[in-house]
PDB file of all heavy atoms in Angstrom:
ATOM      1  N   GLN A   1       9.244   1.064   5.877  1.00  0.00           N
ATOM      2  CA  GLN A   1      10.283   1.404   6.846  1.00  0.00           C
ATOM      3  C   GLN A   1      11.324   0.301   6.910  1.00  0.00           C
ATOM      4  O   GLN A   1      11.038  -0.872   6.672  1.00  0.00           O
ATOM      5  CB  GLN A   1       9.685   1.622   8.232  1.00  0.00           C
ATOM      6  CG  GLN A   1       9.046   0.393   8.846  1.00  0.00           C
ATOM      7  CD  GLN A   1       8.652   0.615  10.300  1.00  0.00           C
ATOM      8  OE1 GLN A   1       9.510   0.773  11.164  1.00  0.00           O
ATOM      9  NE2 GLN A   1       7.354   0.647  10.546  1.00  0.00           N
ATOM     10  N   VAL A   2      12.549   0.691   7.230  1.00  0.00           N
ATOM     11  CA  VAL A   2      13.627  -0.266   7.420  1.00  0.00           C
ATOM     12  C   VAL A   2      14.543   0.293   8.500  1.00  0.00           C
ATOM     13  O   VAL A   2      14.744   1.512   8.596  1.00  0.00           O
ATOM     14  CB  VAL A   2      14.408  -0.528   6.109  1.00  0.00           C
ATOM     15  CG1 VAL A   2      15.114   0.725   5.624  1.00  0.00           C
ATOM     16  CG2 VAL A   2      15.385  -1.681   6.271  1.00  0.00           C
ATOM     17  N   GLY A   3      15.060  -0.603   9.341  1.00  0.00           N
ATOM     18  CA  GLY A   3      15.900  -0.143  10.434  1.00  0.00           C
ATOM     19  C   GLY A   3      16.803  -1.250  10.939  1.00  0.00           C
ATOM     20  O   GLY A   3      16.818  -2.369  10.410  1.00  0.00           O
ATOM     21  N   TYR A   4      17.541  -0.934  11.981  1.00  0.00           N
ATOM     22  CA  TYR A   4      18.476  -1.896  12.561  1.00  0.00           C
ATOM     23  C   TYR A   4      18.320  -1.867  14.071  1.00  0.00           C
ATOM     24  O   TYR A   4      18.119  -0.797  14.670  1.00  0.00           O
ATOM     25  CB  TYR A   4      19.913  -1.554  12.180  1.00  0.00           C
ATOM     26  CG  TYR A   4      20.856  -2.721  12.349  1.00  0.00           C
ATOM     27  CD1 TYR A   4      20.857  -3.777  11.443  1.00  0.00           C
ATOM     28  CD2 TYR A   4      21.744  -2.775  13.416  1.00  0.00           C
ATOM     29  CE1 TYR A   4      21.709  -4.850  11.592  1.00  0.00           C
ATOM     30  CE2 TYR A   4      22.610  -3.841  13.574  1.00  0.00           C
ATOM     31  CZ  TYR A   4      22.584  -4.886  12.659  1.00  0.00           C
ATOM     32  OH  TYR A   4      23.426  -5.962  12.817  1.00  0.00           O
ATOM     33  N   SER A   5      18.399  -3.048  14.679  1.00  0.00           N
ATOM     34  CA  SER A   5      18.189  -3.196  16.112  1.00  0.00           C
ATOM     35  C   SER A   5      19.421  -3.811  16.757  1.00  0.00           C
ATOM     36  O   SER A   5      19.836  -4.916  16.391  1.00  0.00           O
ATOM     37  CB  SER A   5      16.958  -4.081  16.365  1.00  0.00           C
ATOM     38  OG  SER A   5      16.731  -4.265  17.744  1.00  0.00           O
ATOM     39  N   LEU A   6      20.005  -3.097  17.715  1.00  0.00           N
ATOM     40  CA  LEU A   6      21.139  -3.592  18.486  1.00  0.00           C
ATOM     41  C   LEU A   6      20.620  -4.207  19.772  1.00  0.00           C
ATOM     42  O   LEU A   6      19.839  -3.582  20.498  1.00  0.00           O
ATOM     43  CB  LEU A   6      22.114  -2.460  18.807  1.00  0.00           C
ATOM     44  CG  LEU A   6      22.727  -1.708  17.617  1.00  0.00           C
ATOM     45  CD1 LEU A   6      23.547  -0.519  18.113  1.00  0.00           C
ATOM     46  CD2 LEU A   6      23.603  -2.645  16.790  1.00  0.00           C
ATOM     47  N   ARG A   7      21.046  -5.439  20.086  1.00  0.00           N
ATOM     48  CA  ARG A   7      20.574  -6.144  21.266  1.00  0.00           C
ATOM     49  C   ARG A   7      21.741  -6.462  22.199  1.00  0.00           C
ATOM     50  O   ARG A   7      22.846  -6.755  21.744  1.00  0.00           O
ATOM     51  CB  ARG A   7      19.889  -7.456  20.871  1.00  0.00           C
ATOM     52  CG  ARG A   7      18.495  -7.251  20.224  1.00  0.00           C
ATOM     53  CD  ARG A   7      18.568  -7.105  18.709  1.00  0.00           C
ATOM     54  NE  ARG A   7      17.272  -6.853  18.089  1.00  0.00           N
ATOM     55  CZ  ARG A   7      16.473  -7.810  17.631  1.00  0.00           C
ATOM     56  NH1 ARG A   7      16.828  -9.071  17.708  1.00  0.00           N
ATOM     57  NH2 ARG A   7      15.301  -7.500  17.104  1.00  0.00           N
ATOM     58  N   THR A   8      21.498  -6.433  23.487  1.00  0.00           N
ATOM     59  CA  THR A   8      22.536  -6.722  24.465  1.00  0.00           C
ATOM     60  C   THR A   8      22.655  -8.229  24.703  1.00  0.00           C
ATOM     61  O   THR A   8      21.810  -9.023  24.280  1.00  0.00           O
ATOM     62  CB  THR A   8      22.236  -6.021  25.797  1.00  0.00           C
ATOM     63  OG1 THR A   8      20.961  -6.483  26.293  1.00  0.00           O
ATOM     64  CG2 THR A   8      22.189  -4.520  25.622  1.00  0.00           C
ATOM     65  N   GLY A   9      23.721  -8.612  25.405  1.00  0.00           N
ATOM     66  CA  GLY A   9      23.930 -10.017  25.729  1.00  0.00           C
ATOM     67  C   GLY A   9      24.275 -10.828  24.500  1.00  0.00           C
ATOM     68  O   GLY A   9      24.952 -10.359  23.586  1.00  0.00           O
ATOM     69  N   LEU A  10      23.785 -12.062  24.470  1.00  0.00           N
ATOM     70  CA  LEU A  10      24.064 -12.968  23.357  1.00  0.00           C
ATOM     71  C   LEU A  10      23.000 -12.933  22.270  1.00  0.00           C
ATOM     72  O   LEU A  10      23.043 -13.717  21.325  1.00  0.00           O
ATOM     73  CB  LEU A  10      24.211 -14.404  23.887  1.00  0.00           C
ATOM     74  CG  LEU A  10      25.351 -14.636  24.880  1.00  0.00           C
ATOM     75  CD1 LEU A  10      25.328 -16.067  25.381  1.00  0.00           C
ATOM     76  CD2 LEU A  10      26.688 -14.301  24.246  1.00  0.00           C
ATOM     77  N   VAL A  11      22.031 -12.029  22.398  1.00  0.00           N
ATOM     78  CA  VAL A  11      20.949 -11.941  21.412  1.00  0.00           C
ATOM     79  C   VAL A  11      21.476 -11.264  20.154  1.00  0.00           C
ATOM     80  O   VAL A  11      22.023 -10.152  20.222  1.00  0.00           O
ATOM     81  CB  VAL A  11      19.752 -11.164  21.976  1.00  0.00           C
ATOM     82  CG1 VAL A  11      18.626 -11.096  20.948  1.00  0.00           C
ATOM     83  CG2 VAL A  11      19.259 -11.812  23.258  1.00  0.00           C
ATOM     84  N   PRO A  12      21.345 -11.884  18.966  1.00  0.00           N
ATOM     85  CA  PRO A  12      21.890 -11.292  17.740  1.00  0.00           C
ATOM     86  C   PRO A  12      21.209  -9.971  17.373  1.00  0.00           C
ATOM     87  O   PRO A  12      20.000  -9.815  17.579  1.00  0.00           O
ATOM     88  CB  PRO A  12      21.608 -12.357  16.667  1.00  0.00           C
ATOM     89  CG  PRO A  12      21.390 -13.627  17.420  1.00  0.00           C
ATOM     90  CD  PRO A  12      20.770 -13.227  18.726  1.00  0.00           C
ATOM     91  N   ASN A  13      21.988  -9.040  16.848  1.00  0.00           N
ATOM     92  CA  ASN A  13      21.405  -7.834  16.263  1.00  0.00           C
ATOM     93  C   ASN A  13      20.603  -8.221  15.027  1.00  0.00           C
ATOM     94  O   ASN A  13      20.739  -9.323  14.490  1.00  0.00           O
ATOM     95  CB  ASN A  13      22.507  -6.849  15.886  1.00  0.00           C
ATOM     96  CG  ASN A  13      23.358  -6.442  17.074  1.00  0.00           C
ATOM     97  OD1 ASN A  13      22.881  -6.420  18.201  1.00  0.00           O
ATOM     98  ND2 ASN A  13      24.621  -6.148  16.824  1.00  0.00           N
ATOM     99  N   ALA A  14      19.754  -7.297  14.536  1.00  0.00           N
ATOM    100  CA  ALA A  14      18.888  -7.680  13.423  1.00  0.00           C
ATOM    101  C   ALA A  14      18.506  -6.490  12.553  1.00  0.00           C
ATOM    102  O   ALA A  14      18.348  -5.360  13.033  1.00  0.00           O
ATOM    103  CB  ALA A  14      17.614  -8.350  13.943  1.00  0.00           C
ATOM    104  N   LEU A  15      18.370  -6.772  11.252  1.00  0.00           N
ATOM    105  CA  LEU A  15      17.771  -5.849  10.292  1.00  0.00           C
ATOM    106  C   LEU A  15      16.267  -6.100  10.302  1.00  0.00           C
ATOM    107  O   LEU A  15      15.821  -7.242  10.209  1.00  0.00           O
ATOM    108  CB  LEU A  15      18.339  -6.104   8.901  1.00  0.00           C
ATOM    109  CG  LEU A  15      17.811  -5.230   7.764  1.00  0.00           C
ATOM    110  CD1 LEU A  15      18.308  -3.794   7.902  1.00  0.00           C
ATOM    111  CD2 LEU A  15      18.232  -5.807   6.407  1.00  0.00           C
ATOM    112  N   VAL A  16      15.482  -5.027  10.430  1.00  0.00           N
ATOM    113  CA  VAL A  16      14.028  -5.173  10.515  1.00  0.00           C
ATOM    114  C   VAL A  16      13.358  -4.214   9.535  1.00  0.00           C
ATOM    115  O   VAL A  16      13.912  -3.161   9.196  1.00  0.00           O
ATOM    116  CB  VAL A  16      13.505  -4.909  11.944  1.00  0.00           C
ATOM    117  CG1 VAL A  16      14.010  -5.984  12.910  1.00  0.00           C
ATOM    118  CG2 VAL A  16      13.939  -3.530  12.434  1.00  0.00           C
ATOM    119  N   GLY A  17      12.162  -4.565   9.084  1.00  0.00           N
ATOM    120  CA  GLY A  17      11.445  -3.700   8.158  1.00  0.00           C
ATOM    121  C   GLY A  17       9.984  -4.060   8.055  1.00  0.00           C
ATOM    122  O   GLY A  17       9.547  -5.130   8.510  1.00  0.00           O
ATOM    123  N   GLU A  18       9.235  -3.150   7.448  1.00  0.00           N
ATOM    124  CA  GLU A  18       7.799  -3.365   7.299  1.00  0.00           C
ATOM    125  C   GLU A  18       7.271  -2.521   6.142  1.00  0.00           C
ATOM    126  O   GLU A  18       7.758  -1.408   5.907  1.00  0.00           O
ATOM    127  CB  GLU A  18       7.064  -2.993   8.590  1.00  0.00           C
ATOM    128  CG  GLU A  18       5.569  -3.287   8.572  1.00  0.00           C
ATOM    129  CD  GLU A  18       4.910  -2.964   9.904  1.00  0.00           C
ATOM    130  OE1 GLU A  18       5.114  -1.836  10.407  1.00  0.00           O
ATOM    131  OE2 GLU A  18       4.201  -3.829  10.441  1.00  0.00           O
ATOM    132  N   ALA A  19       6.286  -3.044   5.426  1.00  0.00           N
ATOM    133  CA  ALA A  19       5.603  -2.291   4.372  1.00  0.00           C
ATOM    134  C   ALA A  19       4.101  -2.385   4.622  1.00  0.00           C
ATOM    135  O   ALA A  19       3.593  -3.440   5.020  1.00  0.00           O
ATOM    136  CB  ALA A  19       5.940  -2.851   2.998  1.00  0.00           C
ATOM    137  N   LYS A  20       3.392  -1.269   4.398  1.00  0.00           N
ATOM    138  CA  LYS A  20       1.942  -1.223   4.609  1.00  0.00           C
ATOM    139  C   LYS A  20       1.269  -0.578   3.410  1.00  0.00           C
ATOM    140  O   LYS A  20       1.812   0.335   2.786  1.00  0.00           O
ATOM    141  CB  LYS A  20       1.589  -0.402   5.855  1.00  0.00           C
ATOM    142  CG  LYS A  20       2.118  -0.928   7.159  1.00  0.00           C
ATOM    143  CD  LYS A  20       1.689  -0.004   8.294  1.00  0.00           C
ATOM    144  CE  LYS A  20       2.236  -0.438   9.628  1.00  0.00           C
ATOM    145  NZ  LYS A  20       1.835   0.469  10.719  1.00  0.00           N
ATOM    146  N   LEU A  21       0.078  -1.039   3.133  1.00  0.00           N
ATOM    147  CA  LEU A  21      -0.786  -0.424   2.131  1.00  0.00           C
ATOM    148  C   LEU A  21      -2.186  -0.388   2.718  1.00  0.00           C
ATOM    149  O   LEU A  21      -2.676  -1.398   3.236  1.00  0.00           O
ATOM    150  CB  LEU A  21      -0.781  -1.237   0.837  1.00  0.00           C
ATOM    151  CG  LEU A  21      -1.622  -0.684  -0.320  1.00  0.00           C
ATOM    152  CD1 LEU A  21      -1.089   0.665  -0.777  1.00  0.00           C
ATOM    153  CD2 LEU A  21      -1.648  -1.674  -1.479  1.00  0.00           C
ATOM    154  N   GLY A  22      -2.827   0.799   2.676  1.00  0.00           N
ATOM    155  CA  GLY A  22      -4.122   0.874   3.324  1.00  0.00           C
ATOM    156  C   GLY A  22      -4.956   2.064   2.913  1.00  0.00           C
ATOM    157  O   GLY A  22      -4.619   2.807   1.970  1.00  0.00           O
ATOM    158  N   TYR A  23      -6.028   2.256   3.657  1.00  0.00           N
ATOM    159  CA  TYR A  23      -6.974   3.350   3.423  1.00  0.00           C
ATOM    160  C   TYR A  23      -7.303   3.988   4.766  1.00  0.00           C
ATOM    161  O   TYR A  23      -7.655   3.297   5.738  1.00  0.00           O
ATOM    162  CB  TYR A  23      -8.245   2.843   2.765  1.00  0.00           C
ATOM    163  CG  TYR A  23      -9.366   3.857   2.739  1.00  0.00           C
ATOM    164  CD1 TYR A  23      -9.367   4.900   1.812  1.00  0.00           C
ATOM    165  CD2 TYR A  23     -10.411   3.792   3.650  1.00  0.00           C
ATOM    166  CE1 TYR A  23     -10.372   5.849   1.801  1.00  0.00           C
ATOM    167  CE2 TYR A  23     -11.430   4.725   3.646  1.00  0.00           C
ATOM    168  CZ  TYR A  23     -11.407   5.763   2.715  1.00  0.00           C
ATOM    169  OH  TYR A  23     -12.404   6.704   2.709  1.00  0.00           O
ATOM    170  N   ALA A  24      -7.173   5.307   4.851  1.00  0.00           N
ATOM    171  CA  ALA A  24      -7.496   6.061   6.060  1.00  0.00           C
ATOM    172  C   ALA A  24      -8.587   7.064   5.722  1.00  0.00           C
ATOM    173  O   ALA A  24      -8.316   8.101   5.101  1.00  0.00           O
ATOM    174  CB  ALA A  24      -6.260   6.761   6.602  1.00  0.00           C
ATOM    175  N   GLY A  25      -9.817   6.745   6.094  1.00  0.00           N
ATOM    176  CA  GLY A  25     -10.951   7.621   5.834  1.00  0.00           C
ATOM    177  C   GLY A  25     -11.521   8.162   7.127  1.00  0.00           C
ATOM    178  O   GLY A  25     -11.064   7.823   8.224  1.00  0.00           O
ATOM    179  N   PRO A  26     -12.545   8.993   7.038  1.00  0.00           N
ATOM    180  CA  PRO A  26     -13.119   9.605   8.244  1.00  0.00           C
ATOM    181  C   PRO A  26     -13.808   8.598   9.161  1.00  0.00           C
ATOM    182  O   PRO A  26     -13.896   8.815  10.360  1.00  0.00           O
ATOM    183  CB  PRO A  26     -14.125  10.619   7.678  1.00  0.00           C
ATOM    184  CG  PRO A  26     -14.417  10.128   6.290  1.00  0.00           C
ATOM    185  CD  PRO A  26     -13.170   9.490   5.803  1.00  0.00           C
ATOM    186  N   LYS A  27     -14.276   7.477   8.619  1.00  0.00           N
ATOM    187  CA  LYS A  27     -14.997   6.490   9.432  1.00  0.00           C
ATOM    188  C   LYS A  27     -14.343   5.119   9.453  1.00  0.00           C
ATOM    189  O   LYS A  27     -14.741   4.257  10.244  1.00  0.00           O
ATOM    190  CB  LYS A  27     -16.430   6.340   8.906  1.00  0.00           C
ATOM    191  CG  LYS A  27     -17.297   7.574   9.068  1.00  0.00           C
ATOM    192  CD  LYS A  27     -17.558   7.863  10.549  1.00  0.00           C
ATOM    193  CE  LYS A  27     -18.519   9.030  10.724  1.00  0.00           C
ATOM    194  NZ  LYS A  27     -18.771   9.325  12.160  1.00  0.00           N
ATOM    195  N   THR A  28     -13.339   4.912   8.614  1.00  0.00           N
ATOM    196  CA  THR A  28     -12.748   3.579   8.503  1.00  0.00           C
ATOM    197  C   THR A  28     -11.250   3.679   8.251  1.00  0.00           C
ATOM    198  O   THR A  28     -10.793   4.537   7.493  1.00  0.00           O
ATOM    199  CB  THR A  28     -13.388   2.791   7.343  1.00  0.00           C
ATOM    200  OG1 THR A  28     -14.799   2.726   7.539  1.00  0.00           O
ATOM    201  CG2 THR A  28     -12.844   1.364   7.297  1.00  0.00           C
ATOM    202  N   TYR A  29     -10.513   2.798   8.913  1.00  0.00           N
ATOM    203  CA  TYR A  29      -9.075   2.660   8.667  1.00  0.00           C
ATOM    204  C   TYR A  29      -8.795   1.184   8.403  1.00  0.00           C
ATOM    205  O   TYR A  29      -9.136   0.316   9.219  1.00  0.00           O
ATOM    206  CB  TYR A  29      -8.272   3.145   9.873  1.00  0.00           C
ATOM    207  CG  TYR A  29      -6.769   2.983   9.712  1.00  0.00           C
ATOM    208  CD1 TYR A  29      -5.990   4.030   9.226  1.00  0.00           C
ATOM    209  CD2 TYR A  29      -6.132   1.788  10.051  1.00  0.00           C
ATOM    210  CE1 TYR A  29      -4.615   3.896   9.081  1.00  0.00           C
ATOM    211  CE2 TYR A  29      -4.763   1.644   9.904  1.00  0.00           C
ATOM    212  CZ  TYR A  29      -4.012   2.698   9.427  1.00  0.00           C
ATOM    213  OH  TYR A  29      -2.663   2.565   9.275  1.00  0.00           O
TER     214      TYR A  29
END
């Protein structure tokens, strides 16, 4: 995922992102 965050006041806006790799099974994630 990748996105953009707008912040109020003097806080800088930012580009944000995340990548995940995993396993989703019936008993374990």
Side-chain angles (χ1 to χ4, degrees):
Q1 64 172 293
V2 64
Y4 199 75
S5 179
L6 301 174
R7 287 90 183 268
T8 59
L10 298 177
V11 181
N13 301 331
L15 180 70
V16 294
E18 185 177 51
K20 298 180 183 179
L21 182 63
Y23 169 78
K27 294 294 185 180
T28 303
Y29 178 94

